[in-house]
Amino acid sequence: MIMRTLIISLLSIGAIAAPATALAANEPIQPIEAAKPKNADMVELGKMLFFDPRLSKSGFISCNSCHNLSMGGTDNLPTSIGHKWHEGPISAPTVLNSSMNLAQFWDGRAKDLKEQAGGPIANPGEMGFTHELAVDVLRSIPEYRTRFKQLFRSDKIDIGMVTDAIAAFEETLVTPDSRFDKWLKGDKKALNQAELEGYKLFKESGCTGCHNGAAVGGGSFQKFGVHEPYKTTSKAEGRFAVTGKDADRFMFKVPTLRNVELTYPYFHDGAAATLEEAVDTMGRLQLGRTFSKEENAKIVAFLKTLTGKQPEFKLPILPPSTNETPRPKPFG
Amino acid sequence: MIMRTLIISLLSIGAIAAPATALAANEPIQPIEAAKPKNADMVELGKMLFFDPRLSKSGFISCNSCHNLSMGGTDNLPTSIGHKWHEGPISAPTVLNSSMNLAQFWDGRAKDLKEQAGGPIANPGEMGFTHELAVDVLRSIPEYRTRFKQLFRSDKIDIGMVTDAIAAFEETLVTPDSRFDKWLKGDKKALNQAELEGYKLFKESGCTGCHNGAAVGGGSFQKFGVHEPYKTTSKAEGRFAVTGKDADRFMFKVPTLRNVELTYPYFHDGAAATLEEAVDTMGRLQLGRTFSKEENAKIVAFLKTLTGKQPEFKLPILPPSTNETPRPKPFG
Ligand code: HEC
Ligand code: HEC
Ligand code: HEC
Ligand code: HEC
Ligand SMILES: [Ca+2]
Ligand SMILES: [Ca+2]
């Protein structure tokens, strides 16, 4: 009896698993896998750094200020607020699933998360600090010294260790188990009729030409404004800023559409307030196609099924500064 | 046999409990009790609101921006950064254990946490918003509507409900189990010799005249500058702003010294960078006594034993805005 139950269980696991894999393999979008952190202590240190406002000149701004993990990993602003309320030149992308990007930033100027993470600390319009001062702050705090020493077996702390740890934390910021992924894995009831029709439209009209893979984007640079030019007051020129090639003018990294329900407003200038507006613009500019109100609503309904399980963790408790810690300069 | 073990267990509980209670009762400081939240759903909603930057005009500043629960419930700045990088007039106190205060704010102008919580939202130099707009934001978000309805059995949301929920969350922000509380409860090994001598000095020189009770402060308004005047460029006049009585000039609420290791810099103007400096000033100005370097160090060592268990909870995941949600105006 026990044996029979076991065999049936094994069979039924197989029965679910087989079509799931088959299904996903035929689709242009693959499910997101849960993070498998290699080094839990490194992830914990990276999380602390991600939340630590002492990596900024003011002592007020942390990575989480602009990539708020309560809010889909972004600030939900057209352009970001930085040091001294500086208005940034471009909209902040989510850090969720950013490990799947072919490169970091809208223009791909950082090759990976580690290279990216040094940027904002020293950017005068973001955290407004220097790498040296940020590292001085960490060095002055015994708990940070201990943690870095345990992980890097060195008595000194350098910015490379800081960005290693932040990147390790960011790699855990994936969002599996969206309703769409459940559907991909074989749960036919996970999507309703409108959502399924939206997905069909998304595939058949050509969106998946650019938005594909597990991240539903993030895999290539593409021109924004294929059929008609995109009108914007933003000065960003995309990939051209990196390569200097005329052909790269207005080529932007295709953003992930995972959790796009949470990452309003849309586009590199944050000009589209709603998902309806973004889908309409994409249809017209990228595909030369004007969606009806019903079609647009179905695509939007599908896109909302891409909201996955948000990373869950305890708010980190940060070790206090000491008398040796350089003090923040918010108004200096 | 079972009965005997039970009796011995009961006896040994008694044997520990009796001297602990006796000890604490003879001391001017009492241990902090763990929070016993009456309504877990109310606390959860309050936590979400505490972390929601959409209660500010910019969409960037939440209660947690200035009362960072990763950092002892404060911003560790001499004066706070508010909307448009406005420099506040006074230093932000911790929200930890603030439910034990006789009144809220340095000058006690809010009678309790509920009355306090409406202040920052509508303060132009803090969150820069209005109560009406903040409530409009919440009303436009289905998950908030559902949660408010469940808790208040009403289809409308008003600012009174918002401040009720925030206050319920703040009431949970207590920090029991500090080493000093363990000592108070009878664990003689919880403090070392220097810390014990520091506590003795703290009591015998008269600090406990003002810093007493479970919060080691928070129980009265006292003149800052008893033996000599306090020199500051700050314009704050303390309790006088509330009562208009000359005798209340420069009377401030005695701050809690719980977690004082984490709540640097010190005083209402944030002018004392270190605990050593704050203790020295207190000795001279409040008691007319100059502590030796050794005495100062012992008092500081004692004060650091007041760091309790920080509130632990998951970072709240906030529900997304909808097309109906009023958009933030960070630069408008
Ligand atoms: C003041 C706001 C602000 C702060 C603080 C900030 N970021 Fe960003 N972040 C942005 C903006 C804006 C961009 C887009 C810049 C661009 O593409 O040119 C960005 C881009 C990124 C990206 C690339 C995502 C992608 O899809 O290309 C990552 C990853 C990232 N930030 C992580 C971090 C980390 C880690 C920190 C802290 C060390 C941080 N950010 C601090 C605003 C901020
Ligand atoms: C030719 C490539 C291409 C095609 C086809 C395409 N997109 Fe895009 N998509 C992009 C690029 C590039 C961006 C980023 C534009 C920018 O802001 O610079 C983008 C941005 C978006 C955004 C905003 C994401 C954000 O976080 O800002 C949405 C939503 C979107 N696309 C949906 C669609 C839909 C729906 C379709 C099909 C109707 C589609 N896209 C077709 C390349 C494409
Ligand atoms: C821009 C910074 C800032 C923001 C945002 C902010 N506060 Fe404060 N908070 C302060 C400052 C500064 C004071 C002291 C003001 C005074 O005493 O006059 C204070 C005082 C308090 C106090 C009184 C504590 C005591 O011991 O007297 C509480 C409680 C409190 N805030 C809770 C909140 C809540 C809840 C929110 C969000 C709704 C919030 N604060 C938003 C800076 C801020
Ligand atoms: C007569 C009343 C009184 C006495 C006695 C007193 N204090 Fe205070 N203490 C205060 C008041 C009032 C403040 C707030 C001053 C301000 O910033 O306006 C304060 C502030 C402090 C602070 C800074 C807390 C913070 O978070 O900013 C420390 C530390 C402190 N006291 C320690 C001591 C020590 C140690 C002693 C004994 C040597 C002592 N106090 C004696 C009334 C008193
Ligand atoms: Ca966005
Ligand atoms: Ca302080």
Side-chain angles (χ1 to χ4, degrees):
Chain A
M1 182 58 187
I2 287 171
M3 186 55 102
R4 228 188 107 194
T5 318
L6 187 69
I7 292 173
I8 292 174
S9 305
L10 286 172
L11 282 175
S12 59
I13 291 168
I16 294 166
T21 321
L23 217 175
N26 292 334
E27 299 294 339
I29 299 173
Q30 284 81 50
I32 289 190
E33 300 305 327
K36 293 184 199 69
K38 274 160 275 167
N39 185 339
D41 292 336
M42 185 75 92
V43 170
E44 190 55 35
L45 175 60
K47 184 195 302 171
M48 292 167 73
L49 297 167
F50 191 90
F51 277 85
D52 201 323
R54 289 168 296 185
L55 294 183
S56 68
K57 184 176 183 190
S58 62
F60 188 65
I61 296 182
S62 69
C63 308
N64 197 65
S65 302
C66 298
H67 301 285
N68 191 336
L69 292 170
S70 298
M71 304 280 302
T74 176
D75 55 10
N76 300 122
L77 298 174
T79 52
S80 293
I81 297 168
H83 185 64
K84 292 200 170 172
W85 216 262
H86 175 87
E87 179 172 1
I90 209 159
S91 205
T94 179
V95 288
L96 298 177
N97 306 304
S98 60
S99 55
M100 302 177 195
N101 290 336
L102 86 159
Q104 301 300 320
F105 292 124
W106 286 98
D107 59 10
R109 69 185 178 279
K111 76 169 190 294
D112 55 23
L113 288 172
K114 178 178 164 60
E115 188 175 317
Q116 192 285 327
I121 297 174
N123 183 327
E126 295 191 342
M127 296 164 90
F129 219 25
T130 69
H131 290 168
E132 293 67 37
L133 285 169
V135 166
D136 281 350
V137 165
L138 299 173
R139 273 191 200 124
S140 70
I141 298 169
E143 188 181 327
Y144 274 127
R145 277 204 303 272
T146 309
R147 286 182 181 259
F148 275 98
K149 186 165 182 175
Q150 268 163 5
L151 287 163
F152 296 96
R153 319 215 158 271
S154 158
D155 276 321
K156 65 170 193 35
I157 301 176
D158 66 34
I159 189 71
M161 300 171 186
V162 173
T163 55
D164 268 339
I166 293 177
F169 171 59
E170 289 179 309
E171 277 160 23
T172 68
L173 301 176
V174 297
T175 60
D177 298 331
S178 67
R179 285 200 289 124
F180 186 71
D181 283 2
K182 289 190 179 140
W183 181 84
L184 275 180
K185 289 183 171 181
D187 176 359
K188 289 292 187 254
K189 290 197 202 116
L191 300 194
N192 68 28
Q193 197 53 34
E195 291 159 350
L196 268 177
E197 287 172 24
Y199 176 48
K200 220 170 151 236
L201 268 166
F202 188 79
K203 275 203 292 193
E204 293 176 1
S205 58
C207 310
T208 47
C210 298
H211 297 279
N212 52 42
V216 200
S220 65
F221 299 100
Q222 299 287 342
K223 178 153 182 151
F224 188 18
V226 177
H227 290 260
E228 22 168 321
Y230 180 62
K231 294 199 186 75
T232 177
T233 53
S234 162
K235 294 204 168 55
E237 297 193 288
R239 194 77 188 135
F240 173 76
V242 177
T243 65
K245 289 189 203 154
D246 251 347
D248 283 339
R249 226 179 267 278
F250 241 62
M251 299 279 280
F252 290 92
K253 188 177 69 200
V254 178
T256 175
L257 298 185
R258 291 284 178 181
N259 309 295
V260 73
E261 178 185 15
L262 312 179
T263 62
Y264 52 87
Y266 305 103
F267 300 141
H268 70 269
D269 58 0
T274 67
L275 214 34
E276 286 76 4
E277 188 182 337
V279 168
D280 178 69
T281 303
M282 277 285 132
R284 289 185 296 104
L285 271 59
Q286 304 302 82
L287 298 166
R289 172 166 177 174
T290 305
F291 293 116
S292 71
K293 221 182 153 202
E294 289 68 38
E295 290 171 327
N296 184 303
K298 284 175 187 167
I299 296 176
V300 167
F302 155 64
L303 291 175
K304 289 186 178 174
T305 70
L306 295 170
T307 306
K309 196 171 162 305
Q310 302 297 296
E312 278 198 355
F313 51 82
K314 279 194 192 145
L315 183 77
I317 301 299
L318 301 175
S321 296
T322 62
N323 291 356
E324 284 68 49
T325 309
R327 298 305 172 191
K329 295 209 172 58
F331 306 103
Chain B
M1 182 57 186
I2 289 171
M3 186 55 103
R4 227 189 109 194
T5 317
L6 187 71
I7 291 171
I8 290 173
S9 305
L10 286 172
L11 281 175
S12 58
I13 290 169
I16 293 166
T21 320
L23 217 174
N26 293 335
E27 298 295 339
I29 300 174
Q30 285 81 48
I32 288 190
E33 299 305 326
K36 292 184 200 68
K38 273 162 273 165
N39 185 338
D41 292 335
M42 184 76 91
V43 169
E44 190 56 34
L45 175 60
K47 185 196 300 171
M48 292 168 72
L49 297 168
F50 192 89
F51 277 84
D52 201 323
R54 289 168 297 185
L55 294 183
S56 69
K57 184 176 183 191
S58 62
F60 188 65
I61 296 182
S62 69
C63 308
N64 196 65
S65 301
C66 299
H67 301 285
N68 193 337
L69 293 170
S70 298
M71 303 281 301
T74 178
D75 54 10
N76 300 123
L77 298 174
T79 53
S80 293
I81 296 169
H83 184 64
K84 294 199 169 174
W85 217 262
H86 176 87
E87 179 173 0
I90 208 159
S91 205
T94 179
V95 289
L96 298 177
N97 306 305
S98 60
S99 56
M100 300 177 197
N101 289 336
L102 86 160
Q104 301 301 320
F105 293 125
W106 285 99
D107 58 11
R109 68 185 178 280
K111 76 169 188 296
D112 55 23
L113 288 171
K114 177 177 165 60
E115 186 176 317
Q116 191 285 327
I121 298 175
N123 183 327
E126 294 191 342
M127 299 166 87
F129 218 25
T130 69
H131 291 168
E132 294 66 37
L133 286 170
V135 166
D136 282 351
V137 165
L138 299 173
R139 274 192 199 123
S140 71
I141 298 169
E143 188 182 326
Y144 274 128
R145 277 204 302 273
T146 311
R147 285 181 182 260
F148 275 99
K149 186 166 181 172
Q150 270 163 7
L151 286 163
F152 296 97
R153 319 215 158 271
S154 157
D155 277 320
K156 64 170 196 35
I157 300 175
D158 66 33
I159 189 72
M161 299 171 186
V162 173
T163 54
D164 269 338
I166 293 177
F169 171 58
E170 290 179 311
E171 278 161 20
T172 69
L173 301 177
V174 297
T175 59
D177 297 331
S178 66
R179 285 200 289 123
F180 186 71
D181 283 3
K182 289 189 179 139
W183 181 84
L184 274 180
K185 289 180 172 183
D187 175 358
K188 289 292 187 256
K189 290 196 204 116
L191 300 195
N192 67 28
Q193 196 53 34
E195 291 159 350
L196 268 177
E197 286 172 22
Y199 177 48
K200 219 170 152 235
L201 267 167
F202 187 79
K203 275 203 293 193
E204 292 175 1
S205 59
C207 310
T208 48
C210 298
H211 297 280
N212 51 42
V216 199
S220 64
F221 299 99
Q222 299 287 343
K223 178 154 184 150
F224 187 19
V226 177
H227 290 259
E228 20 168 322
Y230 180 62
K231 294 201 186 72
T232 175
T233 54
S234 163
K235 294 204 169 54
E237 297 193 288
R239 193 76 189 137
F240 173 76
V242 177
T243 65
K245 290 189 202 153
D246 251 347
D248 283 338
R249 226 179 269 276
F250 242 63
M251 298 280 279
F252 290 92
K253 189 177 67 199
V254 178
T256 174
L257 298 185
R258 291 283 179 182
N259 308 295
V260 72
E261 179 185 15
L262 312 178
T263 61
Y264 52 89
Y266 304 104
F267 300 140
H268 70 270
D269 57 0
T274 67
L275 214 35
E276 285 77 4
E277 189 182 335
V279 168
D280 178 68
T281 302
M282 277 286 132
R284 287 186 296 104
L285 271 58
Q286 304 302 83
L287 299 167
R289 172 167 176 171
T290 304
F291 293 116
S292 71
K293 225 183 150 202
E294 290 68 38
E295 290 172 325
N296 185 304
K298 284 176 188 169
I299 295 177
V300 168
F302 155 65
L303 290 175
K304 290 186 178 174
T305 70
L306 295 171
T307 305
K309 197 172 161 304
Q310 302 296 296
E312 277 199 356
F313 52 82
K314 280 195 192 146
L315 184 77
I317 302 298
L318 301 175
S321 295
T322 63
N323 291 356
E324 285 66 51
T325 309
R327 298 302 173 194
K329 297 211 171 56
F331 305 104

